[in-house]
Amino acid sequence: MWALFMIKNAKKQRPVNLDLTTIRFPVTAIASILHRVSGVITFVAIGILLWLLGLSLSSQEGFQHASAIMDSFFVKFIMWGILTALAYHAVGGIRHLLMDVGYLEETFAAGQRSAYIAIAITVVLSILAGVLVW
């Protein structure tokens, strides 16, 4: 009962910003969010890749069917996305590991610098993955 009274009488002066277009995240937050998203993509991709591997190893016809599946532009694009997510997750994981071990300072400037470097390395690896897939 007392809690309901406090909620009703709470001041309504707290700032509320529900317009997501005005929120500007620092690069460290973007790098952290991308690391989590790439982890989820990699986790889901494991099932797809294991299915494709099982199909290709099942028989001669299974290998030819898996090869035919991989000839599609859409599937190549999905594979490129999976490889890019895996690359970013690995690079971001190494970045976090270096910070945890103490090789990188835990300051905002060092975090920004390492986030930009991780994104740049991922762009290069993504281009290489595109060359590999196509």
Side-chain angles (χ1 to χ4, degrees), residues 61-107:
E61 294 80 24
F63 179 79
Q64 290 173 352
H65 185 63
S67 180
I69 290 172
M70 285 300 298
D71 284 338
S72 167
F73 174 79
F74 181 71
V75 174
K76 286 182 180 182
F77 185 75
I78 296 294
M79 293 302 281
W80 173 75
I82 289 171
L83 289 174
T84 300
L86 180 62
Y88 184 77
H89 196 71
V91 171
I94 291 169
R95 174 181 170 255
H96 283 289
L97 185 65
L98 290 175
M99 284 194 293
D100 289 343
V101 173
Y103 285 117
L104 295 176
E105 298 175 23
E106 291 192 15
T107 62

Side-chain angles (χ1 to χ4, degrees), residues 14-24:
R14 293 179 286 159
V16 177
N17 185 1
L18 298 178
D19 186 10
L20 295 179
T21 60
T22 62
I23 297 174
R24 181 131 167 92

